[in-house]
Amino acid sequence: MKNIQESQSALVNDTCNDCGSYADIGAVIDEHDTQLSISFTGVDAKVEAEAVALKAKSRFDGVESEIKTDSDLTSLVIHFAYSAEKMIFQLENGI
């Protein structure tokens, strides 16, 4: 157990011998990580990007999005109000 603790980052505090690791949630979630970037390709790339943006806007208040298209690549940037909203959206949608 001591070797595991010594090899961990200072941000991780592994104190539980029975259940594995404990991590300070502040080390996992950055409160300023509110921007999600997704790239789409193919014929329906813009339609898919618009659908994902609409899904985010209907799920959370205050969501803003930007769609940019460059040749074969369509980029969607979604700005959430809180990092937890971003994480929830990613988990719910498998992103």
Side-chain angles (χ1 to χ4, degrees):
M1 183 68 168
K2 186 174 182 177
N3 290 338
I4 293 171
Q5 288 175 330
E6 290 173 356
S7 66
Q8 291 175 347
S9 163
L11 297 175
V12 176
N13 180 9
D14 190 348
T15 58
C16 181
N17 293 329
D18 298 324
C19 62
S21 294
Y22 163 83
D24 181 8
I25 198 66
V28 178
I29 301 174
D30 179 2
E31 67 179 297
H32 303 291
D33 185 17
T34 58
Q35 182 175 306
L36 175 62
S37 298
I38 309 169
S39 297
F40 299 88
T41 58
V43 177
D44 296 328
K46 187 169 184 180
V47 173
E48 291 174 16
E50 290 171 346
V52 172
L54 182 61
K55 192 182 285 190
K57 289 177 182 181
S58 65
R59 176 67 170 93
F60 299 104
D61 293 331
V63 171
E64 297 178 11
S65 64
E66 302 169 40
I67 297 175
K68 295 179 184 175
T69 303
D70 292 324
S71 60
D72 296 347
L73 184 69
T74 298
S75 299
L76 168 64
V77 179
I78 304 172
H79 302 276
F80 293 91
Y82 304 98
S83 59
E85 292 177 347
K86 175 188 168 191
M87 291 179 62
I88 292 166
F89 185 77
Q90 287 176 290
L91 289 170
E92 288 177 344
N93 295 281
I95 300 173

